[in-house]
Amino acid sequence: MIFIHFTACIILVATCNGLITHSKLLGRSVKPLLFAETVESVSNKAPEAEINRRRNLAIISHPDAGKTTVTEKLLLYGGALQQAGAVRQKAEQRGTQSDFMSIEQERGISISSTVMNFDYNGKRDFSEDTYRALAAADNSVMLIDSAKGLEPQTRKLFEVTRMRKLPLFTFCNKMDRPALSPYEIMDQIEAEFNLESFPVLWPIGDGDRFKGVLDRMENVVHLFIKSVERGGKADVQQVPMDDLETLEKLIDDKELFDKLLEDRELLDELIPPLDMDRVSAGDLTPLFFGSAMTNFGVQLFLDKFLEMGVKPATRVAVNKDASSDDVLTVSPEHEEFTGFVFKTQANMDPKHRDRLAYVRVVSGVYEKGMKVGHSRSKPNKKYNLAQAQALFGSDRSSVDVAYPGDVIGINNPGCFAIGDTLYTGSNRVAFPGIPSFSPEKFSYIRSPNPSDYKSFRKGMDQLLDEGAVQALRQRNDDGGGPLMLAAVGQLQFEVVQARLKEEYNVESIMEPLTYSLARWVNSGWDAVDKADAAGKLFGIMIVQDRWKRPVLLFRNDWKAASLADEEKYLELAPWSQPPDFES
Ligand code: G4P
């Protein structure tokens, strides 16, 4: 099977000199982690300038809204020129690269080190990797196709950004096509997500009459002179909003000019001033309009994002050596290196059977060859991080140093799993695991050939460790019973089957189940028994997750919602956090 590379979420790390920073503490405000003095006390502290100039972002959207196109344009403006084509090789886009070289040099912005595409696809689907990517990012960008408004997968991804309280920027793309009214898009966001938006760039017209945007922060209109070539650089003319005479002449469309004046007045009246604290807390989304394909508004978006996005955030963790279960905060400025694994993948290069762990650096500096502890290994066991790679789509290049906010790929000795923490220094730091989200597809899987059983088990164990899918089993099954796979998209099953075949040379048979939703029962097995005894779980399947915690499978949303409503003691949750790892 050939997988076409496709993306449901992209992570970028941008660096910029001389930023205005809006820093933020994520999570509860608790004790800062103080690193114990160690004999070998060589500081791994990251230079403040490196921390302050980094902004990472995860771009999320429904397929086809334009992530790949926006990413390419961000890269072009951000200076990762030769790599831009790695996102999607296109002759005409490569041809535009030189246009941007001078911009990059002038502005000192560079989008570096990391572009990660999540998902394989030929089928427009998405997987849990998409969710996990959000665990590694500090900012998120919701991309909307302006003709379509909010779409189903945007909604799912939004739930994750909300759970993480990530700052969310909204970019309404494809304004060069007939679009919904910007007010309608704002209403949709507010009605569906209970999220207010703050228009930063406001569109003037749409489709063939898309003239440009009003930058409401600067009170300047950016008028775009359309380029002849598709994907070519657009020329921009800036006119102060108060210079009505010039504006009217250049917009050259009475109806749009009048509408701009009216919109400006209305927005100034209706929208309260921008509250950056609310943006940082994910309560208010700065809203942008543009057209990535024709380069309208992407550069402006990048500039504003660099100002408004949060720098690499402080994260909560536990100190596994402490006798109390104190929650600690690890800030990017801490003396030691810490990072967590949010994706693993084996056999990326079939010739080498390599295994990679993708690590998000939280504090300190990664340096080539450094030795780190691992949250689930014995305290004095150290691993040598001999080599790290920056990832750029399917390309990789070696990196010697990485700072908080960066994502690096390291060789996985086999024991690094999703959610694990790597650290230097004497404190055994462990960040909380990455949650699992409600799967929507369920299927038994087995090997048709008993003689393949060993390879089948080995392959499945590897794929489950990687988090390629979730595994569920019947209650009290210690591993001998039927294995049920659960995924957020059908494609995950196909990937599992294809990889079993390609990498472990085993066939597999899937037997799909008709359930479409899972809920974890946070109040435990006693609560499940109580509901079962009262006849409340009719038509619902009771299973356990890999940590033997109760999970209920439902055939539809309605059934899950009504059970949650009627039997509150069950404490049904659509996602679960892995328990703290054992030593
Ligand atoms: P995705 O990664 O979110 O799935 O979206 P992608 O960037 O691949 O864009 C999906 C389609 O939308 C592509 O067209 C792309 O050219 C188009 N597109 C992206 N941004 C804009 C925009 O601002 N305006 C318009 N009009 N179209 C846009 P395609 O036909 O699927 O592919 P291609 O032949 O153009 O590559």
Side-chain angles (χ1 to χ4, degrees):
M1 185 187 290
I2 297 167
F3 294 120
I4 300 164
H5 211 143
F6 164 71
T7 56
C9 177
I10 294 174
I11 296 193
L12 297 173
V13 182
T15 56
C16 178
N17 298 320
L19 284 173
I20 306 160
T21 59
H22 300 273
S23 66
K24 176 189 99 140
L25 286 187
L26 261 192
R28 290 156 290 176
S29 152
V30 278
K31 281 195 207 165
L33 177 56
L34 299 174
F35 286 93
E37 289 282 327
T38 53
V39 195
E40 75 272 38
S41 196
V42 185
S43 173
N44 282 319
K45 191 174 160 114
E48 206 136 324
E50 292 294 346
I51 300 167
N52 287 338
R53 72 196 196 102
R54 269 174 172 68
R55 298 288 178 276
N56 67 31
L57 60 107
I59 304 180
I60 58 175
S61 82
H62 195 83
D64 267 351
K67 282 175 305 298
T68 312
T69 315
V70 166
T71 305
E72 281 173 354
K73 300 298 148 91
L74 287 172
L75 294 172
L76 289 170
Y77 283 115
L81 298 174
Q82 64 284 23
Q83 289 104 325
V87 180
R88 184 171 48 187
Q89 295 288 347
K90 271 195 182 166
E92 73 266 29
Q93 276 150 349
R94 281 201 302 274
T96 65
Q97 288 171 0
S98 54
D99 293 346
F100 298 92
M101 216 167 286
S102 55
I103 299 175
E104 193 252 326
Q105 281 163 0
E106 269 164 35
R107 287 146 33 98
I109 295 173
S110 93
I111 295 191
S112 62
S113 63
T114 314
V115 174
M116 298 191 59
N117 299 322
F118 287 87
D119 246 324
Y120 299 100
N121 200 353
K123 290 199 177 163
R124 310 276 133 172
D125 200 347
F126 79 168
S127 78
E128 278 171 82
D129 273 352
T130 314
Y131 292 136
R132 292 185 193 122
L134 286 165
D138 293 315
N139 298 281
S140 58
V141 177
M142 172 166 72
L143 203 65
I144 295 178
D145 179 335
S146 303
K148 297 185 177 154
L150 300 182
E151 295 179 86
Q153 291 189 11
T154 333
R155 296 186 176 100
K156 286 189 210 166
L157 291 160
F158 173 76
E159 291 307 321
V160 183
T161 63
R162 169 144 289 178
M163 191 186 88
R164 286 220 39 232
K165 297 185 166 49
L166 285 182
L168 178 69
F169 296 79
T170 304
F171 187 92
C172 303
N173 191 28
K174 304 196 186 183
M175 286 305 295
D176 59 298
R177 294 258 187 89
L180 299 174
S181 129
Y183 294 108
E184 190 171 342
I185 295 176
M186 287 173 75
D187 283 350
Q188 278 188 9
I189 297 172
E190 177 139 21
E192 290 209 30
F193 296 160
N194 194 17
L195 178 69
E196 282 175 38
S197 41
F198 181 93
V200 176
L201 300 184
W202 188 256
I204 305 167
D206 63 339
D208 285 346
R209 290 168 76 202
F210 182 46
K211 302 279 181 179
V213 292
L214 161 65
D215 176 347
R216 294 187 62 242
M217 313 299 286
E218 304 295 331
N219 225 7
V220 167
V221 173
H222 294 250
L223 293 170
F224 300 102
I225 320 294
K226 284 183 193 166
S227 77
V228 187
E229 275 171 75
R230 175 192 148 114
K233 184 191 164 195
D235 282 331
V236 182
Q237 187 154 1
Q238 295 185 30
V239 185
M241 186 63 210
D242 301 330
D243 185 354
L244 295 181
E245 206 176 311
T246 315
L247 268 183
E248 184 165 15
K249 197 163 120 232
L250 289 176
I251 291 178
D252 193 23
D253 183 320
K254 179 83 174 84
E255 192 188 336
L256 287 183
F257 174 71
D258 290 346
K259 180 93 177 61
L260 172 64
L261 298 187
E262 189 190 310
D263 283 350
R264 182 181 75 155
E265 210 176 295
L266 199 67
L267 292 173
D268 287 352
E269 223 171 83
L270 292 180
I271 309 280
L274 180 63
D275 178 344
M276 276 312 301
D277 287 342
R278 289 186 66 204
V279 172
S280 300
D283 280 346
L284 178 70
T285 181
L287 184 65
F288 301 79
F289 291 84
S291 156
M293 199 180 78
T294 49
N295 281 321
F296 286 0
V298 177
Q299 183 179 354
L300 275 168
F301 168 77
L302 179 59
D303 289 344
K304 304 282 182 203
F305 168 75
L306 287 168
E307 271 176 41
M308 295 173 158
V310 297
K311 68 176 194 176
T314 291
R315 300 212 170 208
V316 291
V318 291
N319 180 352
K320 294 187 72 174
D321 287 329
S323 48
S324 71
D325 55 0
D326 272 355
V327 179
L328 304 158
T329 54
V330 182
S331 82
E333 288 85 8
H334 274 300
E335 299 278 318
E336 300 287 359
F337 166 86
T338 62
F340 63 89
V341 177
F342 67 98
K343 177 181 164 76
T344 61
Q345 190 157 10
N347 308 330
M348 290 172 80
D349 178 352
K351 279 185 234 125
H352 298 107
R353 293 243 147 200
D354 60 344
R355 288 197 271 205
L356 267 195
Y358 298 70
V359 175
R360 157 65 208 265
V361 181
V362 176
S363 68
V365 184
Y366 159 81
E367 275 169 354
K368 188 175 169 174
M370 82 192 307
K371 290 193 169 31
V372 295
H374 169 231
S375 54
R376 282 186 306 122
S377 296
K378 296 214 159 53
N380 37 17
K381 170 99 183 135
K382 299 286 178 226
Y383 295 85
N384 187 0
L385 302 186
Q387 253 190 12
Q389 291 162 342
L391 304 138
F392 213 98
S394 52
D395 291 357
R396 306 186 210 163
S397 60
S398 160
V399 277
D400 295 341
V401 192
Y403 299 106
D406 286 346
V407 170
I408 50 175
I410 55 170
N411 287 332
N412 187 352
C415 57
F416 297 167
I418 290 169
D420 289 1
T421 301
L422 305 178
Y423 59 89
T424 59
S426 54
N427 278 299
R428 295 181 67 210
V429 183
F431 293 106
I434 295 174
S436 303
F437 295 91
S438 173
E440 294 175 17
K441 305 278 175 198
F442 304 88
S443 178
Y444 286 117
I445 186 167
R446 63 185 172 83
S447 157
N449 191 348
S451 63
D452 283 346
Y453 184 70
K454 249 177 117 178
S455 317
F456 174 78
R457 268 307 277 262
K458 189 170 162 221
M460 269 325 305
D461 285 348
Q462 173 64 48
L463 292 168
L464 291 173
D465 280 352
E466 276 182 35
V469 276
Q470 295 180 45
L472 298 171
R473 291 188 176 274
Q474 277 160 13
R475 186 173 185 180
N476 297 328
D477 177 358
D478 276 326
L483 174 62
M484 186 195 294
L485 301 186
V488 298
Q490 179 67 27
L491 183 74
Q492 284 177 262
F493 294 157
E494 290 170 26
V495 170
V496 165
Q497 284 197 287
R499 289 188 57 190
L500 282 174
K501 174 89 189 98
E502 274 165 30
E503 295 162 27
Y504 300 90
N505 199 23
V506 285
E507 297 293 340
S508 56
I509 292 180
M510 304 289 292
E511 288 163 9
L513 291 145
T514 53
Y515 299 95
S516 64
L517 197 80
R519 289 287 177 264
W520 278 265
V521 183
N522 282 347
S523 45
W525 286 108
D526 287 350
V528 174
D529 290 336
K530 179 177 164 189
D532 202 17
K536 302 288 179 189
L537 303 185
F538 184 71
I540 297 167
M541 188 166 183
I542 306 169
V543 289
Q544 63 184 23
D545 69 6
R546 63 189 290 199
W547 294 286
K548 298 197 159 59
R549 299 177 302 189
V551 180
L552 301 180
L553 306 189
F554 298 85
R555 291 210 155 80
N556 55 49
D557 287 7
W558 173 84
K559 184 91 183 159
S562 67
L563 185 70
D565 222 34
E566 285 165 22
E567 313 298 319
K568 294 220 160 35
Y569 59 88
L570 285 170
E571 296 175 26
L572 298 184
W575 55 272
S576 82
Q577 190 78 27
D580 255 356
F581 288 111
E582 287 137 30
S583 319

